[in-house]
Every structure is written in structure tokens, then in C-alpha cells.
Amino acid sequence: MGAHYYVGVDVGTGSVRAALVNQNGHVENIHIINTTVSNPYPDYYEQDSDEIWKFVCKAVKEVTANMSDKSCIHGIGFDATCSLVVLDADFQPVTISKHTGLNRWNIIMWMDHRAKQQTDIINSKKHRVLKYVGGNVSLEMQSPKILWIKTQMPDTWSKAKHLFDLPDFLTMKATGQLSRSLCSLVCKWTYMWNGNDGGWDQEYFNSIGLEDLSQDNWTKIGGEALTPGSKCGSITKQAAADLGLLEGTSVGASLIDAHAGGLALLHAQSNNKNDLCNRLGLICGTSSCHMSVSVEARFVNGIWGPYHSAMVPGYWLNEGGQSATGALVDHIIKMHPAAKNCNGNNVYSWLEDILSKLAAEKDVNNIALLTKDLHIYPDFHGNRSPLADPYMAGMASGLNLDSSEKSLALQYLATIQALAYGTRHIIEQMTASGQTISSVVMCGGLSNSTLFKQMHADALGMPVGLPCEKHSVVLGAAMLGAAASEDYQDLTSAASALAGSMNIFEPNYEMKQFHENKYMVFKKMQSHQLEYKKIMNMND
């Protein structure tokens, strides 16, 4: 077999990216297009599925434009955020925008928190399916969002005939097939799967008022479930023209974007089952996801899963997360008056340079020590894991009237440390259930910061790896296309062949006690916030 390629498509929170990946797992070409996010009201985040597909097609055409022989492209895979797409019987957009009423806005985004009341109603039922989502359904999952549409927008509900997770919407557009990926269904839609059989739980949907979803063999939300990377179809004639690929090109069943990153991370420089199962994949984006797989099912309070074959076929997945990480760092920076002084430089590099100078000025031998008296608690958008509490909020201790660049740099450092302690809290919850985690492998925007990587290594007391191919998420999408092409025996074989090597950041054990103390403060701030809420609700 001569030189061959795969195309990966990654639809993140605010952008579409397509990559051309060669048979060695190297990203040869990548193209990124920003997408529109509508935020008409606090906690409401909406997108346009027509725009997203248009930009997907444009990006794929861009990365393959110089290929004279498209038959060298053996497969294509898609990943996307776990956002909810609403279509009518003719697969046209139906509005979910209560504030605008425009059909253009037909996607409730993953980070949309409008369905808090519906989430509380569902969790009050304490149905057995909640055992697989850490005990409580998250308002970032689809059941609360769907219930919100039914109760708050009845006209939309009457028109809505197809509800897709965004990754499955993309494979539908490419192939014309209505199958869904197990990744989306078991992780976000409460589909039950144990590796051999499963399906939708009629009793669950009856109990929450969504009994009508079962009509026509569950067609509205998916009657056929496929393992990620299995061939879900081939590029149609129309999609071939839209994407600039050959009709008949193989398409792999999709993954959620974080899970595509997890697939690539866990297989990087992985030689055996222990490597795969003893790692935590940390995907750092607007939010962060914490992925761990095991041979046996492990139930962990506040941690989603276990989900069978949701990311790596044949393995159980547990998933923790932080609802705002990249978004939090950006927020902390933008809210500070000194942010305007950045002058177009890379803001992370600028702040880390200030911290280095400040450490020298104060004669401390490690930058981390600068925040001895400054502490941030990072749940500015609720706590996804392990508290599973969307009502948690951010906190700070040690602020003063300083509005200088030094003040901003210190708040930036304290925020990064807080995110590392949040990851430690998640790992502690996972390991208490019997899971072994001896290293972390990360990707995403924040992982480009050396300070972010080193703070995590030091705060967690374990090595942190960074793949040499930095585009892990879109590489994970390309792995799906590789598996579907049948160039490899299965998705695991494709991922192992394409994942490549990584660089390791070792922890500085001299900082162990400092981070132990900071972590104690982190946990105190968490418990104090819960105590404050009890005090303020005493008379309600």
C-alpha cells in the first residue's frame, strides 16, 4: 500500500478545524475557521448547524486542496462538542432560541446551563440510570436540555423530529445515515450498554416526562448505536461535492471532542494495557475533561461513567471534568485592569515572564511560592466533578487594591494552581474506587503553557506527558477514519499506530509540602462555600 492519508474534523466550542494526517500520524496540514456562538442571555449558549457544516466543508477542502489524487484519502472521522442539534422531519433547523425565535439557532451548546430546573427534577427521581453518571445527571447532558425544550418551547417540540448530538449530526450529513455513536449515546443520553447488549431505558424516560421519545423505535434520538471508529457509512455524492472528497470514502462513527483527544492521549507512547489503564487523559479546552479507562467497571460518586466502549472499544471509561478552565483563565485575565498592557503579545508568555522577574525580585527559588497568601477557588461555572454541583461558584482569598501587571500575573498563577488542585480532587475520587493513576497526559490550549504543565506535575506529584503531535483532538478524529477504512484491524490498532511519542515533565518533589498546604486551603475554601450557603439559607 502506497502513501495514504486520513482526514480528521474537530468541531470545538468556537471553531472548526480539519487536518490531513499521514499514515505515520503526523498532521501535514490544518485549517481552522471560527464559528459563531450566540449568548442572548446568561447561561444560554446557541449555535447554527448550517454554519457549522458549511465551515466543516470549507476546512476539509482547504486541507486537501493540494492533493491531486483524492483516492489516497482512505477515511474521514468527526468529533465535536456534545451539543444538542434539533431538526425537523426534512432535516432542517428548528429554533431552540426562546429569545430570538430564529430557526438559525438550532443548537443548545454543551455549556448551556438553561436547564437547571429540569436537571433537579430528573435527579429527584433517583432512577437507576443515574448510577452511570456519578449519581446525578449533569445539566450539560441531553435529558435536561430535551425536557427543557418540551416544557418551555412546545412549538419547537412539535416540529422537532430528529435530535442529534453534534458529532452524530456531522456523520449524518456526510453519509445520510441516522446511526449514532455509542460515545455520545452512553455518555450524554443515558443509553445503557454493557459491551454485549443494551438500549434505551423506557422506564427512565417515562419517569421524567419524555415517554414520547420511544415512538417509531426511538428514531428521534437514535435507533442504531455503533462503536466509535466502526464504519457508519460512506461519503454520499452530495457530501463528496461539499467536502471535496471522493464519493464512497469511508466514514468512522464519531467521538465527542474530548473523547477524541482522550483516545490519542492514552495511546501516545503506550506499549501495553497497563500504560493505557494507568493514565489520566487531560483535555484542556474551554472546559477540561479527565479521561480514564479500565478493564472492569468502576462506579465513582461525582464522576461520569462507567461507560463501556465509549472511547476505547472493550474498555470502561470514567470521565471527570472542570466546567471552566480555559474560559476561567481568560476571564481572570480579561477582568483585570492590567490586561490592556499586553500589547498583542502572547498573554500567557507575557504573564509568565512577569512571574519569573517577580520571583527573582523576591528571591524565591520557585515561581509557585509567589502565591503563598493568594488563593483562588475555580468553580466559576459550577462544579462538574467530583461534587456534581452546578451551583458552586468561584472564590478568592488574599486580594488587595493592587491593579498592576504583577497583580494580574499572581492571579493568573493562582488560577492555574487552583485548576491543578481541582484535577487532584478528581484523581483522588477516582483512585478511591480502585483505579490506578500514575501519570497524566494532556493536550489543548492551556497545555501549551510550560507553567501549566509543571504546576500540574508538581501539584499532582506525578509525571505529565505532552504528545509530540500537539493536535491530539483532531488526530483522534482522524484515527476514526483510519479505523473505518479497514487499513487497521480496529480502532485500538489505528490509535496505537498513529498516536506517536511524547515529552515528559517530571514533578519537582521539593515543592510537595507547599502544594499539600495549598491543596488544604483549596479544600477548606470548598467546604466553607458550602457552609456559607447553609448559613444564608437557614431561614428559607
Side-chain angles (χ1 to χ4, degrees):
M1 182 166 54
H4 52 279
Y5 301 86
Y6 311 101
V7 173
V9 175
D10 165 42
V11 179
T13 298
S15 65
V16 167
R17 68 186 64 210
L20 183 67
V21 178
N22 67 23
Q23 63 204 50
N24 298 315
H26 175 64
V27 174
E28 291 200 355
N29 197 4
I30 193 164
H31 188 75
I32 303 171
I33 305 174
N34 291 332
T35 52
T36 306
V37 175
S38 174
N39 179 211
Y41 196 75
D43 284 341
Y44 285 62
Y45 295 91
E46 303 165 354
Q47 284 186 308
D48 172 349
S49 67
D50 282 348
E51 179 191 74
I52 286 174
W53 179 248
K54 174 184 174 182
F55 289 167
V56 164
C57 295
K58 183 177 180 181
V60 171
K61 282 184 173 179
E62 286 288 339
V63 297
T64 61
N66 294 327
M67 296 193 70
S68 57
D69 182 8
K70 297 292 179 67
S71 67
C72 291
I73 299 174
H74 288 193
I76 183 171
F78 297 90
D79 76 66
T81 64
C82 49
S83 300
L84 178 65
V85 184
V86 182
L87 304 175
D88 66 15
D90 297 319
F91 299 94
Q92 297 303 305
V94 182
T95 185
I96 49 74
S97 183
K98 198 170 184 178
H99 298 85
T100 71
L102 297 176
N103 283 330
R104 173 188 179 187
W105 305 116
N106 71 316
I107 298 178
I108 300 180
M109 293 185 68
W110 67 270
M111 62 183 182
D112 185 291
H113 280 193
R114 72 183 68 183
K116 288 181 179 177
Q117 181 181 3
Q118 290 72 27
T119 303
D120 291 342
I121 290 171
I122 292 170
N123 286 327
S124 72
K125 305 296 182 181
K126 301 187 184 302
H127 194 275
R128 61 177 175 267
V129 303
L130 302 184
K131 179 181 179 182
Y132 288 86
V133 291
N136 289 291
V137 72
S138 167
L139 77 175
E140 295 177 7
M141 294 178 179
Q142 305 303 11
S143 296
K145 292 179 169 69
I146 294 170
L147 186 58
W148 182 92
I149 293 172
K150 183 176 181 179
T151 57
Q152 301 300 312
M153 298 189 72
D155 188 51
T156 288
W157 184 251
S158 67
K159 295 176 182 176
K161 302 303 178 185
H162 299 282
L163 305 175
F164 286 93
D165 224 52
L166 183 53
D168 293 328
F169 166 79
L170 298 176
T171 58
M172 183 275 293
K173 292 290 288 185
T175 67
Q177 302 299 311
L178 299 183
S179 62
R180 309 300 209 272
S181 170
L182 276 174
C183 178
S184 292
L185 292 193
V186 302
C187 293
K188 306 301 176 184
W189 295 70
T190 68
Y191 188 87
M192 306 299 288
W193 180 254
N194 64 12
N196 297 308
D197 56 59
W200 298 109
D201 191 312
Q202 178 74 66
E203 184 183 277
Y204 167 71
F205 288 101
N206 290 349
S207 73
I208 65 173
L210 292 175
E211 63 282 346
D212 39 347
L213 290 178
S214 66
Q215 295 172 4
D216 301 321
N217 192 31
W218 304 91
T219 301
K220 183 177 280 191
I221 59 174
E224 180 185 11
L226 302 176
T227 56
S230 60
K231 186 174 180 178
C232 64
S234 301
I235 296 290
T236 64
K237 183 176 181 180
Q238 180 61 56
D242 294 341
L243 293 163
L245 300 177
L246 294 184
E247 182 181 358
T249 302
S250 296
V251 181
S254 65
L255 282 169
I256 298 166
D257 55 347
H259 299 64
L263 177 70
L265 290 179
L266 294 187
H267 284 89
Q269 209 166 299
S270 177
N271 299 313
N272 52 54
K273 187 180 293 185
N274 284 338
D275 285 345
L276 195 65
C277 293
N278 293 351
R279 291 177 174 176
L280 181 80
L282 178 55
I283 300 90
C284 312
T286 303
S287 66
S288 286
C289 294
H290 302 65
M291 306 291 191
S292 174
V293 297
S294 57
V295 175
E296 299 175 352
R298 301 186 188 280
F299 294 88
V300 190
N301 287 335
I303 304 294
W304 298 341
Y307 305 129
H308 196 277
S309 298
M311 186 172 76
V312 181
Y315 289 83
W316 292 90
L317 168 68
N318 285 101
E319 177 187 350
Q322 293 164 293
S323 293
T325 50
L328 174 59
V329 173
D330 289 345
H331 174 77
I332 293 293
I333 293 170
K334 290 175 183 176
M335 291 294 290
H336 198 285
K340 65 181 183 295
N341 299 336
C342 184
N343 296 323
N345 299 320
N346 179 301
V347 66
Y348 298 163
S349 298
W350 175 63
L351 291 172
E352 289 167 22
D353 183 57
I354 293 172
L355 289 170
S356 295
K357 293 176 181 176
L358 189 56
E361 177 184 314
K362 293 187 175 294
D363 195 27
V364 297
N365 61 13
N366 191 291
I367 284 175
L369 298 170
L370 293 170
T371 59
K372 178 182 178 182
D373 298 314
L374 176 63
H375 312 283
I376 300 288
Y377 183 75
D379 287 340
F380 282 54
H381 197 50
N383 182 284
R384 185 187 299 169
S385 304
L387 301 183
D389 184 349
Y391 299 100
M392 290 296 289
M395 301 172 70
S397 173
L399 298 179
N400 55 37
L401 295 178
D402 187 359
S403 60
S404 69
E405 295 175 0
K406 293 179 181 179
S407 165
L408 171 56
L410 290 173
Q411 289 183 35
Y412 165 73
L413 172 59
T415 301
I416 285 178
Q417 291 169 332
L419 294 175
Y421 304 138
T423 291
R424 175 172 169 176
H425 194 193
I426 291 168
I427 291 175
E428 285 183 352
Q429 195 81 343
M430 287 181 168
T431 55
S433 72
Q435 179 73 353
T436 299
I437 296 174
S438 57
S439 65
V440 172
V441 188
M442 63 172 59
C443 70
L446 286 173
S447 70
N448 292 321
S449 161
T450 299
L451 180 66
F452 184 85
K453 294 188 285 278
Q454 194 61 55
M455 283 299 132
H456 275 71
D458 295 349
L460 302 175
M462 62 180 65
V464 168
L466 190 74
C468 295
E469 178 49 72
K470 65 179 182 178
H471 301 291
S472 295
V473 177
V474 75
L475 174 60
M479 290 170 178
L480 301 172
S485 74
E486 299 182 354
D487 289 345
Y488 301 91
Q489 182 178 352
D490 52 27
L491 181 57
T492 301
S493 300
S496 297
L498 300 176
S501 59
M502 61 182 176
N503 297 312
I504 306 294
F505 289 77
E506 296 289 347
N508 179 352
Y509 291 106
E510 292 181 1
M511 296 302 297
K512 179 178 180 179
Q513 191 58 55
F514 175 80
H515 287 292
E516 288 290 337
N517 295 345
K518 289 275 287 186
Y519 183 60
M520 288 174 61
V521 173
F522 172 92
K523 295 295 292 291
K524 284 283 188 182
M525 294 176 79
Q526 186 179 83
S527 62
H528 285 172
Q529 181 176 155
L530 295 171
E531 290 175 20
Y532 301 159
K533 290 182 178 182
K534 286 182 181 179
I535 292 170
M536 296 308 297
N537 291 327
M538 284 175 61
N539 299 322
D540 289 353

